[in-house]
Amino acid sequence: MSPRTLLIVNPASRAGANGRSFPKLEPRIREALGPLEIEWTQHRGHAADLVQKAAARIDRVLVAGGDGTAHEVASGLLASGEGARIELGLLPLGTGGDLM
């Protein structure tokens, strides 16, 4: 059985360019990873909430955004108590390139 994957996208990354360009990346990500659930952040702190709510049903989480979104997801994983079990992947799509 393939891992249950959550992809969290911050559409505000790179001054909104991530939200506009992400639809072009999505098919390639699905091809590489198979089925996945996609959630788009709506406000600061939302990524942490999303991953905490999904933690019991996922095996990995992929973050499409910058260092702030990655920080929120990591914090949410730790708060969920599932951080040691869930794989974390990063797509460094932020403004400053801090994750590269």
Side-chain angles (χ1 to χ4, degrees):
M1 184 160 91
S2 50
R4 297 163 296 174
T5 304
L6 172 64
L7 170 57
I8 295 180
V9 181
N10 180 352
S13 291
R14 287 187 297 147
N18 193 31
R20 293 186 299 274
S21 65
F22 188 80
K24 293 177 186 175
L25 293 174
E26 183 181 342
R28 294 174 63 192
I29 294 168
R30 286 186 185 279
E31 182 179 328
L33 299 179
L36 50 89
E37 173 185 347
I38 298 178
E39 293 282 357
W40 293 70
T41 61
Q42 298 175 6
H43 53 79
R44 187 177 302 254
H46 195 210
D49 293 340
L50 290 169
V51 76
Q52 278 185 271
K53 290 176 184 171
R57 70 176 190 276
I58 63 172
D59 299 310
R60 64 183 171 197
V61 60
L62 182 60
V63 182
D67 61 332
T69 310
H71 178 267
E72 284 187 22
V73 169
S75 295
L77 282 174
L78 292 173
S80 75
E82 298 287 340
R85 182 184 62 78
I86 297 172
E87 296 176 6
L88 173 62
L90 305 173
L91 288 174
L93 301 176
T95 302
D98 296 336
L99 292 175
M100 296 172 91

